[in-house]
Amino acid sequence: MIQRPKGTKDILPENSYIWQFVEKNSKDIFRNYGFEEIRLPVFEHTELFQRGIGDATDVVQKEMYTFEDKGGRSITLRPEGTAGVVRAYLENGMASLPSPVKLWYNMSMYRYENVQKGRLREFHQIGAEVIGTGSYEADVEIICLANRLISSLEIENIKLTINSIGCPTCRKKYQNVLREWIGKNLEKYCETCKDRFEKNPMRILDCKEKTCNELNKGAPIVLDYLCEECKTHFDNVKQMLNRIGLDYEVDGSIVRGLDYYTKTVFEFIDEDGLAILAGGRYDGLVKELKGQDTPAIGFAMGVERLIEILMKKQIELNIPKPCIYIAQIGEEANIFATQLVEILRGKNIYAQKDITGKSLKAQFKYADRIGSKYVLTIGDIELKEKKANLKDMLTGNEETINLDGNSAEKLIKYIKVK
Ligand code: HAM
């Protein structure tokens, strides 16, 4: 038997309801915050991610699904959504729209990761991007939105952690300090980290190798090297969060794994230390992708990680059950039942009938298993007499329904009146 590739998941019908619940909840929240949906291609030119996410990141160096298409172009399955959103923003002239442009997405992502708890190779992100403002108020609004997505699902023990990783100006100073600090033990780091030492030492701080992780403990933090502008921006964000009463912790060790981040970064962490949602400001990305200098901020929520938590909670899901099952026996009754379910379905009623040739007894059993509210039984004799038996499956009450004239209308009135 062919099995699904490692790091992928099948979302079976019983779980799809929890997905629909999360998706509907997020969609409503995005609308209330003034965000509009964007849908993008699953694959992009590899260069977009190399330029956007950064050559020295784990994502670009180790985790991308990259291949050459039949035309010899290098193509990559999207490992994240932000670079694609900015590409689409520029390509479709969205810079001329009223600013800021607020977009949300729900998309599958692909990363060739070491598969473990919370780390898949195909996963989904529900994300949001605000393009066109560098204000600290935008940081606060996007953090509020992220917080609402999580708190609306009543998930407990999720902690909001924030940090500032500065801008290219303050980072230059910080990188020198960091190089000096890491340099003392450089020979003990993994080969990838050694390679990153000159190019981008900050990436060494989020290396997933255990030894590097240990070595990184106690490293200088970028927060201590912020320039005046970045410091004021971060102070304003914190102050506003305090004033509106949103709890957070400052964690100077957050560096994020993608190169485009500037200033405010944040993560919503669960009890096991896994990030359920993460994001930050990326003021240089639009320019990096050949647009005008345009500040932006956003986040993405890991849907599988969130659903894993929700599955442990008893949440009431809206699982649809058939309103009526038409059990039939005999050729004419079969035709009549087929016409009847078609009319009912056309009137937005969830109706089922047998399509496998089951016995009447087996049809009843099936109707019960799928949780149908009513079962209408029609045989050729009943048809001739223009009546049928309607059973309320919950109470067990049975009544004879007159099928004379417009039988569908009569039935609809009857089951709606009940
Ligand atoms: P990220 O931190 O790489 O950021 O991913 C965001 C979230 O996606 C993570 O916090 C996690 O919940 C989920 N996630 C990431 N990798 C995996 C995986 N292998 N398996 C399951 N879930 C995963 C970004 O992708 C940025 N584009 C977020 C952003 C938007 N920043 C600004 N705008």
Side-chain angles (χ1 to χ4, degrees):
M1 191 183 50
I2 300 170
Q3 295 184 331
R4 61 176 190 269
K6 193 172 167 192
T8 64
K9 271 192 173 174
D10 299 318
I11 302 158
L12 301 181
E14 67 261 31
N15 286 344
S16 73
Y17 292 110
I18 200 161
W19 279 75
Q20 287 171 19
F21 170 72
V22 168
E23 285 164 350
K24 161 103 183 38
N25 188 63
S26 311
K27 207 170 153 179
D28 291 347
I29 291 172
F30 284 133
R31 186 207 51 218
N32 294 343
Y33 280 79
F35 283 70
E36 291 182 302
E37 188 183 3
I38 187 163
R39 299 185 191 206
L40 298 173
V42 167
F43 56 86
E44 299 270 3
H45 292 291
T46 303
E47 194 195 349
L48 174 70
F49 302 117
Q50 286 168 335
R51 290 248 302 273
I53 299 173
D55 265 338
T57 58
D58 263 5
V59 172
V60 170
Q61 284 188 332
K62 302 177 182 171
E63 297 169 0
M64 294 207 303
Y65 280 92
T66 298
F67 58 94
E68 205 172 272
D69 72 5
K70 289 190 168 57
R73 304 167 196 92
S74 182
I75 293 293
T76 294
L77 302 186
R78 61 181 174 222
E80 60 99 49
T82 311
V85 170
V86 172
R87 196 258 319 130
Y89 168 88
L90 292 172
E91 192 169 344
N92 297 288
M94 293 170 90
S96 62
L97 294 175
S99 174
V101 173
K102 293 169 153 189
L103 301 166
W104 73 270
Y105 52 85
N106 175 10
M107 303 194 292
S108 57
M109 306 293 166
Y110 302 85
R111 293 185 193 175
Y112 193 78
E113 299 234 36
N114 279 329
V115 178
Q116 49 186 283
K117 187 178 179 293
R119 263 187 208 292
L120 293 160
R121 290 184 178 167
E122 183 191 56
F123 60 97
H124 296 75
Q125 286 184 343
I126 291 179
E129 314 290 353
V130 178
I131 307 175
T133 172
S135 75
Y136 70 86
E137 290 95 331
D139 302 26
V140 172
E141 183 169 286
I142 204 96
I143 291 173
C144 285
L145 166 61
N147 179 63
R148 187 168 299 276
L149 282 176
I150 291 176
S151 63
S152 65
L153 298 168
E154 293 173 16
I155 306 173
E156 279 147 28
N157 301 325
I158 303 277
K159 195 169 71 180
L160 163 62
T161 53
I162 65 171
N163 191 22
S164 174
I165 57 169
C167 63
T169 312
C170 31
R171 214 168 300 159
K172 235 181 233 155
K173 195 162 84 188
Y174 172 64
Q175 286 190 329
N176 288 336
V177 176
L178 194 59
R179 260 190 218 105
E180 205 171 301
W181 190 85
I182 292 172
K184 291 176 196 148
N185 284 311
L186 189 61
E187 72 289 352
K188 297 184 194 152
Y189 279 86
C190 74
E191 288 310 307
T192 319
C193 282
K194 280 182 194 149
D195 189 48
R196 286 167 176 169
F197 184 72
E198 283 306 328
K199 263 199 263 176
N200 190 346
M202 256 173 98
R203 288 282 68 92
I204 296 177
L205 298 181
D206 59 25
C207 177
K208 291 179 187 122
E209 295 288 329
K210 247 193 180 152
T211 2
C212 304
N213 240 302
E214 279 302 310
L215 287 166
N216 285 336
K217 284 189 178 148
I221 55 170
V222 60
L223 208 50
D224 295 334
Y225 297 87
L226 294 186
C227 66
E228 233 8 77
E229 191 202 320
C230 291
K231 194 178 167 308
T232 308
H233 184 95
F234 194 49
D235 285 344
N236 285 335
V237 172
K238 287 186 293 182
Q239 232 173 63
M240 200 167 196
L241 289 176
N242 290 338
R243 301 260 332 244
I244 64 166
L246 197 76
D247 281 344
Y248 64 88
E249 234 174 60
V250 175
D251 178 352
S253 71
I254 301 176
V255 283
R256 310 284 300 123
L258 312 162
D259 273 354
Y260 50 62
Y261 288 112
T262 52
K263 294 185 175 165
T264 315
V265 288
F266 55 93
E267 295 182 341
F268 285 77
I269 309 285
D270 74 0
E271 286 165 316
D272 302 327
L274 262 186
I276 303 302
L277 181 156
R281 186 160 272 295
Y282 50 94
D283 289 347
L285 183 58
V286 179
K287 194 169 178 206
E288 179 65 38
L289 296 178
K290 303 276 179 264
Q292 298 274 332
D293 203 356
T294 311
I297 182 165
F299 65 77
M301 178 166 79
V303 186
E304 282 82 358
R305 290 188 188 178
L306 184 82
I307 285 187
E308 185 105 2
I309 298 175
L310 282 177
M311 301 262 263
K312 291 181 201 142
K313 273 170 59 97
Q314 282 307 85
I315 49 170
E316 222 170 280
L317 295 170
N318 186 18
I319 301 176
K321 299 268 188 244
C323 180
I324 187 157
Y325 184 93
I326 320 262
Q328 98 281 334
I329 195 93
E331 216 180 304
E332 283 310 306
N334 193 12
I335 303 287
F336 180 81
T338 305
Q339 287 171 327
L340 192 54
V341 280
E342 273 308 302
I343 296 169
L344 293 172
R345 287 164 177 170
K347 294 198 180 291
N348 202 24
I349 290 176
Y350 180 3
Q352 291 254 55
K353 77 172 273 282
D354 178 52
I355 49 170
T356 63
K358 283 189 182 74
S359 70
L360 201 56
K361 193 174 159 203
Q363 288 182 51
F364 255 90
K365 204 166 155 191
Y366 180 80
D368 194 37
R369 273 195 68 179
I370 62 173
S372 185
K373 243 165 115 184
Y374 293 100
V375 177
L376 185 76
T377 314
I378 308 168
D380 286 349
I381 300 168
E382 284 90 342
L383 212 52
K384 264 192 206 130
E385 291 173 6
K386 303 224 180 314
K387 59 184 188 193
N389 178 277
L390 182 73
K391 181 173 179 183
D392 183 324
M393 297 296 276
L394 196 69
T395 61
N397 287 345
E398 295 191 38
E399 294 193 43
T400 302
I401 303 289
N402 186 356
L403 293 182
D404 216 3
N406 192 341
S407 46
E409 282 305 323
K410 279 186 184 155
L411 193 60
I412 290 168
K413 266 194 199 136
Y414 196 86
I415 53 185
K416 285 208 168 149
V417 165
K418 287 234 111 188

